[in-house]
Amino acid sequence: MALYLGSNAHVFNTAALDAITSKLMARESEVEDALARAVNTAAEKTIELTEEEWNSYFRINGGYINGKVRLVRRARAGRTEAVVGARARATRADNFKFRVLPNRKGVRLNVRRGGSGGVIRNAFVIPRAKSNGQPLILERLQKYQKGERRDFRHGSKQIGRFNRAEKLRFKALYGPSVNQHFHDSRARVAPIAMTAAKEQFMKAIRA
């Protein structure tokens, strides 16, 4: 409010600004809520786009990635930061497209779309692994020795308090982990997700 005195002086006080200040304080809370929602939208969009990119790049069951890229921490007013994490465990090769070659000539494994894959000559498939009942692709590391045990244990000896394999006969085959893919894909999908979040934020605050 301005008070006009007899001279050319003007005296100001805050009476006329009090109402505006109250509105701005209320608006600040509204903006913080909108900002947190926008950040969460960016994170959720990043997950969606990462899953789409994964399925378009790999020859794998589309449901495999479900839940393996997730929102670890949501943003909220006062902490406008969201965290997206991806599963780091390697992907078992049997989740990708594979075919056992006749006459024990190995396994053709096709991980990426748009390619014919490659043949792993010393590989074979256990139809139902004990761990989950699914096929397991193994690669033989040592040539068959007459009289060797007919199971998939490596054989071990006591080293200190632990049993250690003396020589590995087989190894399970794995493909890229979701985390490996996310390490690269996030640079591609995050800008798209942020654009969607910005649009949502500007609409929410009617800017």
Side-chain angles (χ1 to χ4, degrees):
M1 180 177 182
L3 300 178
Y4 301 96
L5 304 180
S7 67
N8 291 326
H10 300 274
V11 178
F12 293 91
N13 61 34
T14 62
L17 300 177
D18 287 344
I20 298 176
T21 301
S22 298
K23 289 181 180 179
L24 288 175
M25 292 178 64
R27 184 70 167 168
E28 181 181 3
S29 176
E30 177 187 343
V31 168
E32 282 192 359
D33 288 340
L35 187 58
R37 290 195 301 272
V39 170
N40 288 328
T41 293
E44 291 161 359
K45 189 67 174 178
T46 295
I47 294 171
E48 177 188 336
L49 294 173
T50 297
E51 291 177 348
E52 289 178 0
E53 190 177 272
W54 167 276
N55 287 326
S56 68
Y57 188 76
F58 293 110
R59 285 189 176 274
I60 194 169
N61 183 329
Y64 175 83
I65 197 173
N66 292 350
K68 294 181 175 63
V69 184
R70 62 189 183 88
L71 188 53
V72 177
R73 188 174 70 196
R74 300 183 66 85
R76 55 177 172 76
R79 193 192 67 195
T80 52
E81 177 184 84
V83 178
V84 174
R87 184 191 190 201
R89 187 183 304 172
T91 306
R92 272 181 28 173
D94 55 277
N95 287 290
F96 300 99
K97 184 178 181 181
F98 70 90
R99 179 169 63 89
V100 178
L101 301 181
N103 301 320
R104 298 185 178 181
K105 296 295 184 180
V107 175
R108 177 176 290 280
L109 180 62
N110 193 336
V111 174
R112 295 188 301 175
R113 295 186 182 275
S116 58
V119 175
I120 305 169
R121 294 294 178 187
N122 295 322
F124 59 97
V125 176
I126 300 175
R128 289 178 294 279
K130 289 184 178 180
S131 57
N132 61 358
Q134 299 300 314
L136 178 64
I137 305 176
L138 294 177
E139 182 181 9
R140 175 178 278 278
L141 302 178
Q142 302 292 330
K143 290 184 178 180
Y144 174 78
Q145 301 293 326
K146 186 177 180 180
E148 76 174 31
R149 57 194 306 164
R150 299 181 62 84
D151 58 26
F152 300 104
R153 296 180 180 178
H154 298 297
S156 62
K157 65 180 179 179
Q158 187 78 20
I159 301 177
R161 295 184 296 121
F162 304 98
N163 289 327
R164 302 293 190 194
E166 297 181 46
K167 186 179 289 186
L168 297 180
R169 295 190 297 151
F170 312 97
K171 71 173 181 179
L173 296 182
Y174 293 85
S177 68
V178 174
N179 189 54
Q180 285 176 306
H181 174 70
F182 183 57
H183 180 78
D184 295 328
S185 69
R186 60 187 179 178
R188 294 186 292 271
V189 304
I192 302 172
M194 284 302 301
T195 296
K198 286 177 183 177
E199 291 177 355
Q200 173 187 311
F201 176 69
M202 299 304 284
K203 184 178 180 180
I205 64 173
R206 297 178 293 279

